């Protein structure tokens, strides 16, 4: 089944362009592996995730963040253009995404803006955490729920666990808006850079996001971002997106040139730049010794790293906890979730991986929990679950992954898709709404019926042509009901060549 999904997705690759990427799914979650330069990796993401990217830009960034108001959206975009400075490599990656979108044949016109999206739109989306407080000021509404919680434990607190034996384990809940486009498109992105000084890294994210929200490097260091509670500023010039600052520290083999690849690279990368909103970054590494820290950053107050030495009211044992309040950069304030975690650890500071997950669920589980993950650097073991429309992520089954296995990439120096040269179909409208009719045609004579597959590799419809074109009624196909998502359309031309396109159905 996995082979069929990969095969079908590979058929959707363009005619001549090299696409340095492989796209699969794991329990309904996208896993994208890309390799090459920043531009090449961006192109692969844009091409292979074209419709999810457009869905998120339209549904989340425009409708939720900008509240379907072009003036608000343009205010955010212009603020990015006027006040942020982004490295050339990220500009190239964002441009690569746009080029990949265009090459895929996806419509990149955003009706609300009355224009095609461009690289500045991609980079503005990657400034979302920085623009969080600014957005609430210009709209007069704090409709963005960017709340997170995490706990790391190690040393004496995990020594009794037969598996951990003193090594670090971290559990992280990412709590964001329960937006349908985000729920439908969770993404694990595995990057294989070819630039000097950069290393492979994993990002738990969403299509179109190139920054590091929840990220792990090939060397094992990891960083997980939370929003802070203080957002005062004294300098709005030369700002840098916090997600890209974290990525600098994660992706670099030795960012601060101290001969070690650990969390001090992440701290230095954040401290070297000026972010807009207040943030906390929970970082861990075991390369070779265990290091944990919570990096607190604020435009006005600066950057500090809180370690277990500054645990003001945590019980005996070795733990660090982050919610959404500074505890070192500024005097701590009351936080119910933080207090609940402290109470649980006071009762029993001894931790196993299973208990740490259960503790965070009980003490800080929120209904807008979009992703839950647990990471053990020593073994590379990863657990990952995502939200559904009916349940937060922590209530759903967690996928078991491994860092080393995720970084495996068959023959990454070659174009895995260059030998497959299908002809694209004309699909209109695309995206389409459910309960509508989609017309599929081609300039090449079609000699076979049209087969419709979902991304599980299941054939859900066979449609016969009508005067050289197909009409797909998206509310039903036989006894099979359609639902929102991506479908693969496949037929054959007169010369036997495959003809393939993607169709995105929206609610």
């Amino acid at each position: 089944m996995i082979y069929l999904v990969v095969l079908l997705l590979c058929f959707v690759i363009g005619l001549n362009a090299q696409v340095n990427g492989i796209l699969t799914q794991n329990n309904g979650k996208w896993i994208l592996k890309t390799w090459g330069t920043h531009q090449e990796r961006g192109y692969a993401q844009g091409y292979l995730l074209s419709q999810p990217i457009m869905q998120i830009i339209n549904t989340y960034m425009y409708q939720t963040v900008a509240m379907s108001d072009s003036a608000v959206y343009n205010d955010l975009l212009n603020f990015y253009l006027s006040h942020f400075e982004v490295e050339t490599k990220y500009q190239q990656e964002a441009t690569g995404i746009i080029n990949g979108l265009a090459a895929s044949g996806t419509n990149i016109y955003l009706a609300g803006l009355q224009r095609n999206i461009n690289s500045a739109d991609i980079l503005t989306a990657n400034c979302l955490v920085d623009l969080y407080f600014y957005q609430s000021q210009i709209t007069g509404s704090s409709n963005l729920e960017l709340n997170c919680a995490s706990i790391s434990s190690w040393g004496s607190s995990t020594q009794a666990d037969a598996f951990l034996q003193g090594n670090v384990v971290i559990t992280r809940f990412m709590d964001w808006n329960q937006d349908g486009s985000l729920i439908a498109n969770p993404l694990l992105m595995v990057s294989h850079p070819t630039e000097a000084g950069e290393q492979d890294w994993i990002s738990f994210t969403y299509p179109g996001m190139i920054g590091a929200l929840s990220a792990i490097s090939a060397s094992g260091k990891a960083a997980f971002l939370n929003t802070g509670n203080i957002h005062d500023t004294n300098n709005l010039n030369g700002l840098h997106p916090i997600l890209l600052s974290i990525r600098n520290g994660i992706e670099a083999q030795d960012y601060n040139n101290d001969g070690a690849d650990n969390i001090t690279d992440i701290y230095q990368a954040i401290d070297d730049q000026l972010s807009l909103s207040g943030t906390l970054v929970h970082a861990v590494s075991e390369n070779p010794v265990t290091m944990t820290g919570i990096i607190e950053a604020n435009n006005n107050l600066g950057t500090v790293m809180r370690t277990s030495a500054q645990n003001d009211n945590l019980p005996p044992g070795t733990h660090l906890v982050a919610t959404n309040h500074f505890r070192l950069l500024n005097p701590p304030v009351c936080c119910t979730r933080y207090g609940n975690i402290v109470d649980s650890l006071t009762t029993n500071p001894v931790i196993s991986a299973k208990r740490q997950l259960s503790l965070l669920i009980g003490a800080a589980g929120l209904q807008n929990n979009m992703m839950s993950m647990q990471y053990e650097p020593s073994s590379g073991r990863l657990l990952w679950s995502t939200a559904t429309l009916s349940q937060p992520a922590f209530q759903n089954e967690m996928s078991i992954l491994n860092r080393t296995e995720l970084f495996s990439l068959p023959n990454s120096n070659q174009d895995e898709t260059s030998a497959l040269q299908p002809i694209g179909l004309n699909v209109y409208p695309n995206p389409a709404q459910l309960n509508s009719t989609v017309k599929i045609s081609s300039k090449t004579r079609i000699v076979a019926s049209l087969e419709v597959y979902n991304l599980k590799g299941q054939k859900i419809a066979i449609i016969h042509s009508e005067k050289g074109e197909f009409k797909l009624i998206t509310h039903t196909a036989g006894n099979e009901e359609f639902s929102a998502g991506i479908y693969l359309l496949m037929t054959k031309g007169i010369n036997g060549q495959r003809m393939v396109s993607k169709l995105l159905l929206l609610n």
Side-chain angles (χ1 to χ4, degrees):
M1 187 68 71
I2 293 175
Y3 173 79
L4 177 58
V5 172
V6 175
L7 180 63
L8 290 172
L9 288 169
C10 284
F11 277 136
V12 185
I13 303 304
L15 298 180
N16 299 312
Q18 176 169 314
V19 181
N20 291 6
I22 297 174
L23 181 65
T24 59
Q25 280 202 337
N26 181 301
N27 294 327
K29 300 184 286 288
W30 296 114
I31 297 181
L32 174 65
K33 297 187 178 185
T34 65
W35 58 90
T37 64
H38 282 268
Q39 189 278 333
E40 290 169 334
R41 284 178 280 151
Y43 185 94
Q45 182 182 173
Y47 198 104
L48 295 173
L49 289 173
S50 55
Q51 291 163 341
I53 290 172
M54 288 303 301
Q55 185 181 5
I56 286 172
I57 292 292
N58 182 38
T59 305
Y60 184 61
M61 286 302 299
Y62 182 73
Q63 296 180 21
T64 299
V65 176
M67 304 170 71
S68 298
D69 188 329
S70 60
V72 172
Y73 186 94
N74 288 326
D75 194 335
L76 296 172
L77 175 65
N78 290 330
F79 190 91
Y80 159 74
L81 292 171
S82 301
H83 297 282
F84 283 81
E85 295 180 1
V86 173
E87 296 92 330
T88 300
K89 61 183 180 180
Y90 296 131
Q91 295 176 27
Q92 293 171 342
E93 191 163 337
T95 300
I97 289 176
I98 296 298
N99 292 340
L101 286 169
S104 73
T106 298
N107 183 3
I108 63 173
Y109 183 82
L110 198 63
L113 301 177
Q114 297 185 347
R115 63 171 174 82
N116 290 342
I117 69 165
N118 55 45
S119 60
D121 296 296
I122 298 296
L123 291 171
T124 300
N126 280 271
C127 291
L128 176 62
V129 175
D130 296 87
L131 296 171
Y132 161 65
F133 184 63
Y134 179 73
Q135 182 263 5
S136 67
Q137 288 183 312
I138 64 175
T139 62
S141 171
S142 55
N143 68 321
L144 299 184
E145 302 177 17
L146 308 186
N147 305 309
C148 303
S150 56
I151 173 174
S152 59
S153 306
W154 69 99
S156 61
S157 291
T158 62
Q159 190 64 54
D161 183 78
F163 184 77
L164 291 172
Q165 297 182 342
N167 290 316
V168 68
V169 57
I170 182 169
T171 301
R172 185 281 210 284
F173 286 177
M174 194 208 81
D175 307 325
W176 274 24
N177 294 73
Q178 291 180 296
D179 179 88
S181 65
L182 299 183
I183 290 174
N185 295 294
L187 172 65
L188 193 162
M189 186 163 61
V190 186
S191 297
H192 298 264
T194 55
E195 288 90 349
E198 294 187 351
Q199 64 178 309
D200 296 352
W201 66 290
I202 297 167
S203 179
F204 296 88
T205 185
Y206 297 98
M209 303 299 289
I210 64 174
L213 176 63
S214 305
I216 302 169
S217 72
S219 65
K221 63 186 175 187
F224 306 95
L225 180 132
N226 298 8
T227 55
N229 61 316
I230 298 175
H231 307 288
D232 57 321
T233 60
N234 68 1
N235 188 355
L236 297 181
N237 297 315
L239 298 175
H240 191 262
I242 185 65
L243 297 181
L244 296 183
S245 296
I246 299 170
R247 176 173 172 177
N248 284 341
I250 285 284
E251 193 169 36
Q253 293 173 348
D254 182 13
Y255 179 88
N256 60 359
N257 297 312
D258 66 351
D261 189 2
N262 54 39
I263 67 171
T264 62
D265 295 307
I266 302 168
Y267 170 82
Q268 193 63 56
I270 294 172
D271 190 46
D272 281 350
Q273 302 288 351
L274 189 64
S275 58
L276 181 61
S277 297
T279 55
L280 302 92
V281 178
H282 202 151
V284 300
S285 62
E286 285 187 336
N287 191 26
V289 298
T290 298
M291 298 183 69
T292 64
I294 295 173
I295 304 161
E296 301 181 355
N298 172 270
N299 183 282
N300 183 42
L301 300 174
T303 306
V304 297
M305 182 154 66
R306 174 163 61 91
T307 68
S308 57
Q310 290 91 26
N311 272 350
D312 51 290
N313 65 342
L314 274 178
T318 45
H319 311 276
L320 276 175
V321 175
T323 51
N324 299 105
H325 300 84
F326 294 134
R327 310 197 70 82
L328 180 61
L329 196 62
N330 201 68
V333 298
C334 177
C335 172
T336 302
R337 288 174 297 151
Y338 193 94
N340 290 341
I341 296 169
V342 169
D343 289 344
S344 295
L345 293 175
T346 300
T347 301
N348 180 10
V350 177
I351 283 289
S352 65
K354 183 177 181 179
R355 180 177 176 241
Q356 189 185 75
L357 178 59
S358 298
L359 186 156
L360 199 61
I361 290 173
L366 300 179
Q367 288 302 303
N368 64 319
N369 175 223
M370 296 291 285
M371 289 191 186
S372 297
M373 58 202 72
Q374 187 176 81
Y375 171 51
E376 299 163 8
S378 58
S379 66
R381 184 171 181 262
L382 281 161
L383 302 179
W384 180 38
S385 63
T386 59
T388 61
L389 291 173
S390 59
Q391 292 190 144
F394 64 78
Q395 292 182 356
N396 294 322
E397 182 180 358
M398 304 189 84
S399 299
I400 302 174
L401 305 167
N402 181 272
R403 186 184 70 226
T404 302
E405 293 175 1
L406 285 171
F407 284 124
S408 65
L409 183 61
N411 203 11
S412 63
N413 291 325
Q414 296 183 11
D415 177 13
E416 296 292 321
T417 62
S418 60
L420 299 172
Q421 297 184 354
I423 297 174
L425 293 164
N426 299 319
V427 182
Y428 182 82
N430 192 12
Q433 298 291 326
L434 288 170
N435 301 314
S436 65
T437 299
V438 178
K439 294 183 179 181
I440 302 106
S441 61
S442 174
K443 293 180 180 179
T444 300
R445 182 183 172 191
I446 297 172
V447 297
S449 298
L450 181 78
E451 298 177 346
V452 182
Y453 293 84
N454 63 24
L455 286 184
K456 294 180 181 179
Q458 299 167 325
K459 185 190 299 183
I460 65 168
I462 299 177
I463 303 172
H464 300 290
S465 65
E466 300 178 13
K467 297 181 180 181
E469 72 175 21
F470 301 96
K471 291 182 180 179
L472 172 62
I473 302 174
T474 63
H475 69 274
T476 183
N479 296 321
E480 187 74 30
E481 292 291 332
F482 279 88
S483 59
I486 293 177
Y487 295 84
L488 303 175
L489 313 175
M490 182 182 299
T491 185
K492 287 185 180 180
I494 191 170
N495 60 356
Q497 192 169 25
R498 290 187 180 273
M499 308 172 74
V500 183
S501 283
K502 292 178 286 186
L503 168 65
L504 174 62
L505 293 183
L506 303 175
N507 284 319

